[in-house]
Amino acid sequence: MNSFSQFKDNLLHVRQNLDAICLSIGRKTDSVKILPVTKRQPLEAINFSERVGFSSVGENVVQEAQGKHDIYNGTMGWELIGHLQSNKARLAVEIFDRIQTVDSLKILQRIDRFAGELGNPQRILLQVNTSRDPAKHGLAPIEVDALVEAALNAENLVLEGFMTIGLFSSAPSVSTQTFTVLRELRDRLAEAFGQAFPELSMGMSGDLESAVKSGSTMIRVGTALFGERRTSSLNT
Ligand SMILES: *Cc1c(COP(=O)(O)O)cnc(C)c1O
């Protein structure tokens, strides 16, 4: 992993890039947050993130996050950005401040139940497979209305918005399309349900420009900050 000074240089570079993109389209530069993605990076990546003022990090594997969560003593918040299996739902509710990858009624109901048992409302995003890529998790766009309704009716869930993963190594126009679909879906649902659903988590190191231009409010950035990841999941 990168040194702290390399990480700070990278962060400056990402921020400058983000600011330039925002300026070019007339968005406020503080309207897009960066979520540092620390998956398959050592615990140090979380310490680095905290030292420069981030308040949460993204992890994609529940057990890996648990390992880090158990030994980390700081104030960092945790966001789950990887697929959640129902047998890990309780643990996920215990660890994560927000689960960005809710993509079925079954998992939604389990999260609601465990959050109720823990007496702590769970913040969630619904993950939508806007590219209809069979290799990706996420709801088909046509399934989203029903899940929004279920989330709003659940007692222990706070639905804050939506998340999607762009198509890898595709032309910018194609990835822009997958992001625009999510923003338009959110706008329609916000109107229909009379709720803002403000968060649009979309864009990563390689496709953040088209995501921001399409209305992203949170880009999830790993390698552009920390360098290459280890190839397998790790516990600490
Ligand atoms: C790994 C991951 C990221 C970060 O990817 P980078 O290319 O390293 O920026 C973002 N979102 C999700 C869902 C991921 O799994």
Side-chain angles (χ1 to χ4, degrees):
M1 191 188 75
N2 292 330
S3 66
F4 185 55
S5 73
Q6 180 69 60
F7 163 72
K8 282 194 298 184
D9 281 356
N10 290 347
L11 177 58
L12 188 67
H13 188 251
V14 171
R15 285 221 164 105
Q16 284 171 342
N17 184 20
L18 193 55
D19 288 357
I21 296 164
C22 284
L23 278 171
S24 77
I25 52 169
R27 283 189 68 177
K28 289 190 183 152
T29 52
D30 63 1
S31 65
V32 189
K33 297 176 292 290
I34 297 171
L35 180 70
V37 174
T38 52
K39 70 182 190 195
R40 286 188 266 124
Q41 302 283 3
L43 192 68
E44 248 189 325
I46 300 174
N47 294 319
F48 286 4
S49 302
E50 186 172 351
R51 279 168 72 185
V52 299
F54 284 112
S55 55
S56 40
V57 294
E59 287 280 338
N60 73 329
V61 173
V62 177
Q63 298 101 303
E64 180 182 333
Q66 182 190 26
K68 293 175 178 173
H69 185 268
D70 286 354
I71 55 173
Y72 172 75
N73 60 34
T75 56
M76 197 54 94
W78 302 76
E79 301 225 17
L80 181 62
I81 60 170
H83 182 62
L84 179 57
Q85 291 169 318
S86 53
N87 63 350
K88 300 280 168 15
R90 175 184 283 278
L91 189 55
V93 169
E94 285 172 10
I95 293 174
F96 290 99
D97 298 277
R98 188 161 71 171
I99 298 171
Q100 296 200 3
T101 50
V102 176
D103 67 352
S104 72
L105 185 60
K106 183 179 170 199
I107 202 81
L108 182 148
Q109 288 171 337
R110 286 182 79 103
I111 292 170
D112 180 41
R113 175 154 58 88
F114 296 136
E117 287 172 14
L118 290 170
N120 205 6
Q122 178 69 51
R123 298 161 52 215
I124 61 165
L125 304 180
L126 296 179
Q127 181 179 352
V128 187
N129 185 1
T130 53
S131 58
R132 292 161 213 234
D133 176 354
K136 287 198 180 72
H137 293 287
L139 297 158
I142 197 166
E143 298 173 304
V144 180
D145 287 62
L147 268 277
V148 169
E149 189 154 6
L152 294 179
N153 287 331
E155 286 197 4
N156 309 293
L157 299 179
V158 182
L159 176 60
E160 297 183 334
F162 304 92
M163 178 270 208
T164 196
I165 300 174
L167 266 186
F168 291 113
S169 66
S170 59
S173 63
V174 178
S175 62
T176 299
Q177 179 59 24
T178 65
F179 297 135
T180 304
V181 164
L182 191 65
R183 195 202 58 230
E184 289 175 354
L185 183 66
R186 189 278 309 274
D187 291 349
R188 181 178 64 71
L189 292 164
E191 178 87 41
F193 288 92
Q195 301 246 349
F197 309 129
E199 195 82 282
L200 286 179
S201 170
M202 47 191 204
M204 343 206 304
S205 296
D207 58 12
L208 61 89
E209 177 163 1
S210 45
V212 170
K213 288 183 170 170
S214 306
S216 171
T217 59
M218 172 172 269
I219 54 171
R220 309 175 304 261
V221 187
T223 45
L225 295 177
F226 301 109
E228 289 305 311
R229 286 182 278 272
R230 298 198 201 169
T231 48
S232 65
S233 178
L234 73 173
N235 287 320
T236 57

